C-alpha cells in the first residue's frame, strides 16, 4: 500500500487529505477549537487587510500620481523655531513656480469654498449649500485624473462664473446629470453650468462636489485680482505641481530660499523672506497617511494606525497558529501508536511529516472558508467604524484568489511543521511498548507559546484601558471655558449683524451672543510677531509669536472665560465703527502670553504693545484656557477687537435649546433670506477632536477581546488534554485522601503560573508603547500601576474560568471508574 502510494503522488496526496478529514471528524472538540480559533483570527486579518489596502491606495487612481507634489509652507521665528506648517499656500506662488523651474510641467490651484446655490436665477425658491466646492484652474484636469462625463475639460473653467458638478452632486441637487448649459444663482451672481465630471474615488485626499472657475476670484466680491496676484500671506489655497520624470524634489527644495527672496516683497523687518518662511514639496501619495500639518483640506489617515492594525492582524493569526501547535504537540502521546504502526508498515518519516502538514492545511482551508463568511457579516461594522464603503466583491479577482490560496498553504505548513517533526520522530519500538514519554523540549515549547499568546492579549487589554482613561481625561478635564449649550454658525453680512443681534438679544432663551474670527476647538493659525513692548522706561524689541484671535466684547462672557487681571474691551464694537475706534479698544492677553513677554498678569495691564504695526494698550489678561486640542500646549494669544468677525457663538439657556434654535432660524430668515442657516455645537466639535482616539479605543477593545477568546480556546483544549493525561495520577491521589481543592490546584497551578509570567512579560512592553502614545498629547494621564494589576486580575479570572470546567470535572470524577478503565 505504501509503495503504491509512493509511486502515485496524486493518490498519496488524496490519501493524506482523506485521513486528515477523518481525524477531524473523530476529534470534533480539537478540530472545532482549531477551526473556530483560526477562522476568527483570519476573519479579523481579512477585515484589517482590506482596510490597509484601502488606506495605501489613496490618490493612486491619478495617472501621474508619482509625479504630483503639493507645495506646503512653514513659518519660522527669529530664533529659527518653526511655529506653523501649512498645507495651503498663497495664490501668487503658483505661476512663479511654473516659470522658475523648468521641470515643472503644470501647476494648479484649488481654493476650498462653501458655495450657496439657487437653481432659479431670479433668486426664487430655496437656496442650498454645496459643500466641498473648489475654485479651480482649468489645469486641474491636466494634473489630476478627473473623468469628464459632459463638457470640455480644457474650456469648461476658462470663463468667470462657470461651474462644474460631480455626477453624484448633480443627481443630489438637480436630480439629473443633464445640466450642462443651465444657469443658476451662485451666491448673488448668475453662473453657468459648463460640465459634469465623475466623482473622484473615495480614496482621495480631496473630494470636490463642484469646481468653480478660478478666474471668478478676480472679482472683488470674491477675492480680488490684486489679492490673487499679490497676497503672499493669505494662505488659503492648495497648490500642486506636475513634474517631469527627471525632477529632483530635494534639489528643488534647496532652491526655494533663493526663489522666495527674489520674488516675495521685502518684509520690512530686516530679515530675508527665506529666514521667516519656506516652501516644501510633499508627494501626493504621502498626503493621506503621512501629512498632519497645521492646515489640511480633509482629515487624513495615520500611518501609525495602519501599522497598529497590521500588527493586530499578525498577532491574531500567530495566536491561532500557536493554538494548533500547542494542541497538536499535546496530542502527540495519544497518537504514538498510530505513528508506530505506520512506521512498522514501512512509512518513511517524510511521509509522516507530509501527513501532519496536510492535516494543518485542511484546517487552514476550512478556517478560511468560515472566515470569509464572518468577514462578510462584519464588513458593515468595519465601514461604519472607519467611514469607508469597502466591498469584498471589489477584491474578488484572480490575483486575490492566488494570494489567499498561497497564504492558506503557507499558514498550514507553518502551523503544522513543528508538530509534524515532533510526532514523526517517535521510535516505533518504544511506542508499541508504551514507552512514549513527552519530550521536555515539547513541553517547553508549549509553555513558551502559551506565555506568548497571553502576553500579546494582555498588551492589548492594557492598551484598551489606557486609551479609555485618556479619553475620560479629555472629556472631563476643565478646559477653562464653557463648551456646553453653545451653538455656532457663520454670519455672511457684517453690516446686518447689529440688527440680527438686537433681535436675538431680546429672547430670554439666549444667554449671550458673540462674534469672533475663530472659536475654541479650532486651530490657531493666525499669528503675529510682537514687534515692540513698552516698558516703564523705553520700548524694547521682542520676537514673541502671539497667536491672534479677533473677538468682540461679548466673547469672554459667552464662553465663561475668566479674567485673571484687568478688564474686558471698554466698549462694544459695531459694524460701522472706524478702524481707529476699534484699535483704541486695545488688546487682551492670556496668561501664557504675559509670561513669555516677561510680565506678571498685573504688570501687563496698561502696557503698550506694537503687534505687526498695530499699536495699542493691554486692557486685561484672561486665565489660560485650551483653545485648541489637548494635543497642543496652550499657546500665547492676543485677543484683538478691531477686525471683522465671521463666526457667531450663541450661549443658550439650559433646557431651552429647541426654542432658541427656532428663534435663531426666524431671525436668520429675516436678515439672510437668500442663504440657508448651517449651525453646529461646540461640544460636538470638541468630541470630533478625539474621534480618532475613540475609534482606537473601540478597536483595541474588540480585538483584545478576540485575542483573549482565541487564546482561551487553545487553553481550554490544552487543559482538556492535561486532565486526560493526568487522570490516573489524580485518581490515585484522591484514593490516598487528596481533596477536590487540592486536585484542582494541582491541575491549574502550571497554567496559572504561565499566565502570571505572561503578565510580567507584557507589562513593560505595554508601558513602552502606551507611554509613547500618550506623549502625543501635551496634556495626558499617567499610566497607573493599577492599570497593570487590573489587566493581570482580568486575565487571571478569564484563565481560571476557562480551565475550571475541565479541572473540576476531573477532580469530581469517581477514581474507581477511571482506574477500572486503565
Amino acid at each position: 500500500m505504501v509503495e503504491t502510494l509512493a509511486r502515485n503522488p496524486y493518490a498519496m496526496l488524496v490519501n493524506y487529505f482523506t485521513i486528515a478529514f477523518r481525524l477531524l471528524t473523530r476529534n470534533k472538540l480539537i478540530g472545532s477549537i482549531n477551526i473556530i480559533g483560526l477562522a476568527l483570527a483570519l476573519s479579523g486579518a481579512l477585515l484589517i487587510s482590506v482596510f490597509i489596502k484601502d488606506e495605501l491606495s489613496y490618490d493612486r487612481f491619478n495617472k501621474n500620481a508619482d509625479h504630483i507634489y503639493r507645495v506646503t509652507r512653514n513659518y519660522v521665528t527669529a530664533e529659527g523655531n518653526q511655529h506653523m506648517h501649512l498645507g495651503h499656500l498663497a495664490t501668487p506662488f503658483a505661476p512663479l513656480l511654473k516659470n522658475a523651474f523648468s521641470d515643472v510641467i503644470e501647476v494648479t490651484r484649488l481654493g476650498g469654498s462653501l458655495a450657496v446655490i439657487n437653481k432659479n436665477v431670479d433668486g426664487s425658491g430655496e437656496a442650498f449649500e454645496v459643500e466641498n466646492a473648489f475654485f479651480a484652474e482649468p489645469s486641474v484636469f491636466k494634473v489630476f485624473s478627473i473623468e469628464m462625463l459632459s463638457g470640455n475639460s480644457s474650456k469648461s473653467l476658462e470663463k468667470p462664473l462657470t461651474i462644474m458638478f460631480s455626477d453624484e452632486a448633480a443627481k443630489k441637487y438637480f436630480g439629473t446629470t443633464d445640466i450642462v448649459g443651465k444657469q443658476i444663482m451662485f451666491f448673488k451672481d448668475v453662473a453657468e453650468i459648463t460640465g459634469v465630471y465623475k466623482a473622484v474615488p473615495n480614496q482621495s485626499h480631496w473630494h470636490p462636489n463642484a469646481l468653480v472657475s478660478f478666474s471668478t476670484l478676480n472679482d472683488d466680491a470674491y477675492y480680488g485680482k490684486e489679492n490673487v496676484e499679490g497676497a503672499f500671506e493669505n494662505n488659503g489655497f492648495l497648490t500642486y505641481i506636475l513634474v517631469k520624470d527627471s525632477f529632483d524634489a530635494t534639489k528643488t527644495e534647496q532652491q526655494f530660499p533663493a526663489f522666495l527672496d527674489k520674488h516675495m516683497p521685502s518684509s520690512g523687518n530686516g530679515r530675508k523672506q527665506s529666514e521667516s518662511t519656506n516652501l516644501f514639496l510633499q508627494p501626493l501619495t504621502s498626503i493621506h497617511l503621512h501629512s498632519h500639518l497645521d492646515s489640511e483640506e480633509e482629515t487624513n489617515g495615520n500611518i501609525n494606525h495602519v501599522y497598529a492594525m497590521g500588527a493586530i492582524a499578525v498577532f491574531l493569526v500567530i495566536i491561532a497558529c500557536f493554538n494548533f501547535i500547542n494542541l497538536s504537540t499535546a496530542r502527540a502521546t495519544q497518537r504514538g501508536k498510530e505513528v508506530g504502526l505506520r512506521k512498522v508498515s514501512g512509512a518513511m518519516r517524510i511521509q509522516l511529516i507530509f501527513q501532519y502538514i496536510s492535516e494543518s492545511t485542511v484546517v487552514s482551508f476550512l478556517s478560511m472558508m468560515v472566515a470569509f463568511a464572518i468577514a462578510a457579516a462584519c464588513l458593515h461594522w468595519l465601514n461604519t467604524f472607519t467611514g469607508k464603503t469597502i466591498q469584498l466583491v471589489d477584491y474578488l479577482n484572480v490575483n486575490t484568489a492566488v494570494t489567499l490560496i498561497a497564504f492558506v498553504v503557507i499558514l498550514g505548513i507553518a502551523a503544522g511543521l513543528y508538530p509534524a517533526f515532533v510526532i514523526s520522530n517517535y521510535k516505533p519500538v518504544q511506542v508499541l511498548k508504551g514507552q512514549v514519554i513527552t519530550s521536555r523540549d515539547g513541553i517547553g515549547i508549549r509553555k513558551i507559546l502559551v506565555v506568548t499568546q497571553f502576553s500579546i492579549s494582555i498588551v492589548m487589554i492594557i492598551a484598551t484601558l489606557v486609551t479609555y482613561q485618556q479619553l475620560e481625561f479629555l472629556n472631563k478635564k476643565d478646559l477653562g471655558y464653557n463648551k456646553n449649550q453653545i451653538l455656532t454658525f457663520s454670519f455672511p453680512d457684517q453690516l446686518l449683524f447689529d440688527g440680527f443681534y438686537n433681535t436675538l438679544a431680546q429672547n430670554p432663551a439666549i444667554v449671550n451672543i458673540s462674534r469672533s474670527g475663530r472659536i475654541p476647538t479650532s486651530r490657531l493659525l493666525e499669528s503675529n510677531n510682537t514687534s515692540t513692548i513698552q516698558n516703564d522706561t523705553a520700548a524694547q524689541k521682542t520676537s514673541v509669536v502671539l497667536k491672534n484671535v479677533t473677538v468682540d466684547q461679548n466673547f469672554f462672557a459667552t464662553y465663561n472665560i475668566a479674567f485673571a487681571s484687568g478688564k474686558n474691551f471698554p466698549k462694544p464694537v459695531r459694524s460701522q465703527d472706524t478702524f481707529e475706534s476699534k484699535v483704541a479698544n486695545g488688546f487682551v492677553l492670556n496668561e501664557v502670553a504675559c509670561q513669555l513677554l516677561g510680565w506678571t498678569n498685573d504688570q501687563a495691564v496698561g502696557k503698550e504693545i506694537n503687534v505687526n504695526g498695530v499699536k495699542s494698550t493691554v486692557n486685561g489678561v484672561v486665565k489660560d484656557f485650551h483653545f485648541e486640542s489637548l494635543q497642543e500646549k496652550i499657546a500665547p494669544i492676543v485677543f484683538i477687537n478691531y477686525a471683522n468677525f465671521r463666526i457667531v457663538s450663541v450661549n443658550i439657556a439650559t433646557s431651552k435649546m429647541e426654542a432658541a434654535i427656532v428663534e435663531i432660524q426666524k431671525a436668520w430668515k429675516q436678515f439672510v433670506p437668500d442663504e440657508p442657516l448651517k449651525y453646529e455645537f461646540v461640544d460636538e466639535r470638541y468630541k470630533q477632536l478625539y474621534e480618532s482616539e475613540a475609534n482606537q479605543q473601540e478597536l483595541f477593545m474588540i480585538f483584545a477581546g478576540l485575542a483573549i477568546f482565541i487564546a482561551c480556546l487553545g487553553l481550554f483544549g490544552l487543559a482538556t488534554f492535561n486532565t486526560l493525561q493526568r487522570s490516573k495520577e489524580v485518581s490515585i491521589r484522591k484514593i490516598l485522601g487528596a481533596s477536590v481543592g487540592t486536585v484542582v490546584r494541582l491541575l491549574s497551578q502550571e497554567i496559572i503560573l504561565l499566565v502570571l509570567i505572561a503578565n510580567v512579560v507584557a507589562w513593560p512592553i505595554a508601558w513602552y508603547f502606551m507611554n509613547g502614545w500618550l506623549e502625543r498629547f501635551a496634556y495626558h494621564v499617567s499610566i497607573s500601576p493599577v492599570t497593570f494589576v487590573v489587566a493581570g486580575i482580568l486575565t487571571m479570572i478569564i484563565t481560571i474560568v476557562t480551565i475550571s470546567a475541565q479541572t473540576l470535572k476531573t477532580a469530581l470524577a469517581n477514581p474507581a471508574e477511571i482506574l477500572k478503565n486503565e
Side-chain angles (χ1 to χ4, degrees):
M1 174 68 176
V2 174
E3 292 179 0
T4 302
L5 291 175
R7 288 194 298 268
N8 189 341
Y10 174 76
M12 183 173 63
L13 286 174
V14 171
N15 181 63
Y16 286 159
F17 286 110
T18 301
I19 294 173
F21 275 107
R22 286 177 183 171
L23 287 170
L24 281 176
T25 55
R26 288 177 189 171
N27 299 280
K28 293 182 177 63
L29 175 64
I30 298 305
S32 298
I33 288 174
N34 280 328
I35 291 173
I36 293 172
L38 191 55
L40 288 172
L42 289 176
S43 63
L46 277 172
L47 290 172
I48 290 172
S49 296
V50 297
F51 166 79
I52 291 176
K53 183 174 177 60
D54 185 85
E55 287 288 280
L56 294 177
S57 66
Y58 265 68
D59 293 304
R60 290 285 179 185
F61 69 90
N62 290 289
K63 179 182 177 182
N64 298 310
D66 293 328
H67 295 86
I68 301 173
Y69 292 83
R70 181 173 71 172
V71 187
T72 68
R73 182 181 187 181
N74 78 343
Y75 285 88
V76 181
T77 65
E79 290 77 22
N81 299 317
Q82 177 177 289
H83 67 89
M84 199 181 335
H85 192 168
L86 306 175
H88 293 76
L89 203 63
T91 51
F93 286 109
L96 295 173
L97 287 168
K98 186 176 181 181
N99 293 331
F101 299 97
S102 58
D103 281 345
V104 175
I105 301 172
E106 199 58 73
V107 176
T108 195
R109 292 171 287 186
L110 301 168
S113 174
L114 183 69
V116 177
I117 302 293
N118 193 316
K119 288 186 282 188
N120 302 319
V121 294
D122 59 1
S124 62
E126 192 74 23
F128 56 88
E129 292 180 341
V130 177
E131 295 182 340
N132 292 331
F134 289 83
F135 290 102
E137 295 182 286
S139 56
V140 68
F141 294 100
K142 296 179 181 178
V143 176
F144 295 102
S145 299
I146 301 175
E147 182 183 346
M148 289 292 297
L149 299 179
S150 57
N152 188 319
S153 62
S154 61
K155 296 181 179 180
S156 293
L157 293 178
E158 279 188 344
K159 298 178 181 179
L161 291 172
T162 52
I163 185 170
M164 305 172 67
F165 288 91
S166 71
D167 55 342
E168 293 178 358
K171 292 174 184 177
K172 177 181 178 180
Y173 297 118
F174 299 94
T176 178
T177 58
D178 186 19
I179 57 175
V180 175
K182 181 179 177 62
Q183 288 189 324
I184 59 173
M185 184 71 74
F186 176 74
F187 289 100
K188 297 181 179 181
D189 293 309
V190 176
E192 181 183 359
I193 301 176
T194 54
V196 175
Y197 57 90
K198 187 175 179 61
V200 301
N202 291 326
Q203 297 82 8
S204 174
H205 77 286
W206 71 299
H207 297 86
N209 289 321
L211 297 174
V212 184
S213 56
F214 200 82
S215 57
T216 304
L217 291 173
N218 289 326
D219 190 326
D220 289 338
Y222 296 99
Y223 194 58
K225 186 175 182 180
E226 184 178 344
N227 287 327
V228 171
E229 296 177 352
F232 280 91
E233 295 304 326
N234 192 351
N235 302 291
F237 297 82
L238 297 167
T239 301
Y240 302 87
I241 61 173
L242 175 65
V243 300
K244 298 178 181 178
D245 292 340
S246 59
F247 181 76
D248 187 333
T250 303
K251 182 180 178 181
T252 302
E253 284 185 337
Q254 292 171 352
Q255 299 175 50
F256 279 155
F259 167 82
L260 293 173
D261 292 335
K262 178 180 178 181
H263 294 285
M264 287 185 67
S266 174
S267 61
N269 59 10
R271 296 175 65 192
K272 292 181 179 180
Q273 286 289 2
S274 60
E275 293 175 347
S276 59
T277 186
N278 203 1
L279 303 181
F280 300 88
L281 295 174
Q282 189 174 49
L284 176 69
T285 53
S286 74
I287 292 176
H288 177 67
L289 289 177
H290 298 274
S291 182
H292 303 95
L293 303 181
D294 292 306
S295 71
E296 296 283 356
E297 188 55 42
E298 295 183 8
T299 301
N300 289 328
N302 192 317
I303 190 62
N304 291 327
H305 290 172
V306 172
Y307 291 149
M309 294 279 274
I312 289 172
V314 172
F315 289 157
L316 289 176
V317 174
I318 287 175
I319 289 172
C321 287
F322 283 2
N323 277 353
F324 185 90
I325 295 170
N326 261 336
L327 296 177
S328 296
T329 54
R331 290 176 58 216
T333 53
Q334 291 193 335
R335 299 188 66 178
K337 289 183 180 180
E338 174 194 340
V339 174
L341 287 172
R342 284 177 177 275
K343 284 195 171 183
V344 169
S345 300
M348 300 175 64
R349 188 183 182 195
I350 189 66
Q351 292 173 315
L352 292 171
I353 290 173
F354 275 116
Q355 172 62 57
Y356 293 110
I357 287 178
S358 69
E359 291 178 24
S360 62
T361 304
V362 166
V363 170
S364 184
F365 268 104
L366 291 175
S367 299
M368 182 60 79
M369 294 170 64
V370 176
F372 257 109
I374 297 173
C378 295
L379 189 61
H380 176 71
W381 166 82
L382 178 68
N383 286 330
T384 302
F385 178 74
T386 60
K388 296 182 180 294
T389 55
I390 299 172
Q391 300 292 331
L392 284 181
V393 68
D394 296 336
Y395 297 89
L396 297 180
N397 52 53
V398 175
N399 290 336
T400 302
V402 171
T403 301
L404 286 176
I405 291 172
F407 175 76
V408 167
V409 171
I410 293 171
L411 185 63
I413 294 172
L417 199 59
Y418 176 76
F421 274 97
V422 170
I423 296 171
S424 64
N425 198 37
Y426 288 148
K427 302 294 187 291
V429 176
Q430 291 178 322
V431 169
L432 295 176
K433 286 182 178 181
Q435 296 178 352
V436 176
I437 301 174
T438 303
S439 166
R440 289 182 177 272
D441 291 340
I443 295 174
I445 289 294
R446 288 202 297 276
K447 289 179 179 179
I448 292 172
L449 296 183
V450 169
V451 169
T452 304
Q453 281 181 308
F454 274 87
S455 295
I456 293 171
S457 302
I458 293 164
V459 168
M460 295 177 70
I461 290 173
I462 293 172
T464 303
L465 294 174
V466 172
T467 307
Y468 172 79
Q469 291 167 0
Q470 178 63 10
L471 281 173
E472 284 292 291
F473 170 79
L474 296 174
N475 290 325
K476 293 181 178 179
K477 180 173 172 52
D478 181 7
L479 302 174
Y481 71 92
N482 171 46
K483 67 178 184 298
N484 301 315
Q485 296 291 119
I486 296 182
L487 177 148
T488 73
F489 51 88
S490 178
F491 196 84
D493 195 331
Q494 299 297 321
L495 295 177
L496 294 175
F497 180 78
D498 292 340
F500 179 80
Y501 173 88
N502 292 331
T503 301
L504 289 181
Q506 299 171 12
N507 193 301
I510 307 296
V511 177
N512 225 320
I513 309 170
S514 70
R515 291 179 297 168
S516 58
R518 292 191 181 275
I519 59 172
T521 67
S522 302
R523 291 303 307 271
L524 291 168
L525 298 181
E526 290 88 359
S527 61
N528 289 319
N529 290 320
T530 301
S531 303
T532 57
I533 58 176
Q534 185 69 42
N535 285 327
D536 296 334
T537 54
Q540 294 182 348
K541 288 186 177 181
T542 177
S543 59
V544 174
V545 176
L546 300 179
K547 300 290 185 178
N548 72 55
V549 179
T550 57
V551 299
D552 67 6
Q553 190 186 41
N554 295 327
F555 179 81
F556 304 111
T558 301
Y559 284 95
N560 292 337
I561 298 169
F563 273 79
S565 183
K567 57 186 179 181
N568 199 353
F569 302 111
K571 60 180 180 179
V573 173
R574 299 172 302 171
S575 301
Q576 62 268 30
D577 285 347
T578 63
F579 175 80
E580 290 76 12
S581 65
K582 294 175 183 179
V583 171
N585 265 351
F587 301 130
V588 172
L589 302 177
N590 67 348
E591 292 178 299
V592 170
C594 292
Q595 293 169 12
L596 292 177
L597 291 170
W599 297 323
T600 64
N601 295 338
D602 292 334
Q603 288 172 343
V605 177
K607 289 291 194 299
E608 188 178 82
I609 303 180
N610 184 328
V611 180
N612 277 14
V614 179
K615 187 184 295 184
S616 197
T617 304
V618 176
N619 294 319
V621 178
V622 293
K623 291 185 177 180
D624 285 335
F625 66 97
H626 295 276
F627 201 101
E628 300 178 287
S629 159
L630 292 178
Q631 290 180 339
E632 311 293 334
K633 290 184 178 181
I634 295 177
I637 304 175
V638 53
F639 296 95
I640 307 173
N641 195 218
Y642 62 75
N644 288 329
F645 314 101
R646 60 186 179 85
I647 302 176
V648 177
S649 300
V650 183
N651 190 331
I652 298 172
T654 305
S655 75
K656 295 184 178 180
M657 181 63 73
E658 290 185 7
I661 291 176
V662 170
E663 292 303 316
I664 292 170
Q665 289 174 331
K666 287 181 180 178
W668 181 273
K669 287 183 179 180
Q670 179 184 347
F671 290 93
V672 195
D674 297 330
E675 296 185 21
L677 171 64
K678 183 179 180 182
Y679 59 85
E680 56 185 345
F681 298 97
V682 175
D683 57 349
E684 291 297 325
R685 286 174 56 92
Y686 183 79
K687 287 181 182 179
Q688 291 171 8
L689 292 176
Y690 311 109
E691 187 175 3
S692 174
E693 286 72 24
N695 287 343
Q696 177 176 298
Q697 190 260 340
E698 183 180 346
L699 177 75
F700 281 142
M701 182 174 65
I702 291 171
F703 285 109
L706 184 58
I708 279 285
F709 181 75
I710 295 171
C712 286
L713 280 177
L715 204 59
F716 176 79
L718 200 58
T720 301
F721 275 103
N722 283 343
T723 53
L724 286 174
Q725 287 178 332
R726 303 184 69 177
S727 59
K728 183 176 181 180
E729 174 194 348
V730 168
S731 298
I732 294 172
R733 285 179 180 272
K734 289 186 71 176
I735 291 172
L736 294 176
S739 65
V740 172
T742 301
V743 172
V744 170
R745 185 171 63 254
L746 175 69
L747 294 175
S748 305
Q749 62 186 8
E750 182 179 0
I751 290 177
I752 291 174
L753 178 61
L754 292 177
V755 175
L756 285 173
I757 294 172
N759 274 278
V760 173
V761 172
W763 289 1
I765 296 173
W767 180 90
Y768 175 80
F769 284 106
M770 295 314 296
N771 189 61
W773 177 75
L774 287 173
E775 286 179 353
R776 292 170 43 200
F777 297 86
Y779 306 89
H780 57 78
V781 297
S782 298
I783 302 179
S784 169
V786 175
T787 303
F788 299 99
V789 174
V790 169
I793 293 174
L794 184 61
T795 51
M796 199 59 63
I797 292 172
I798 292 172
T799 300
I800 293 171
V801 170
T802 301
I803 66 176
S804 60
Q806 290 302 318
T807 54
L808 282 172
K809 180 181 177 182
T810 303
L812 295 172
N814 187 342
E817 290 294 328
I818 294 174
L819 293 176
K820 182 178 69 174
N821 293 333
E822 288 292 330

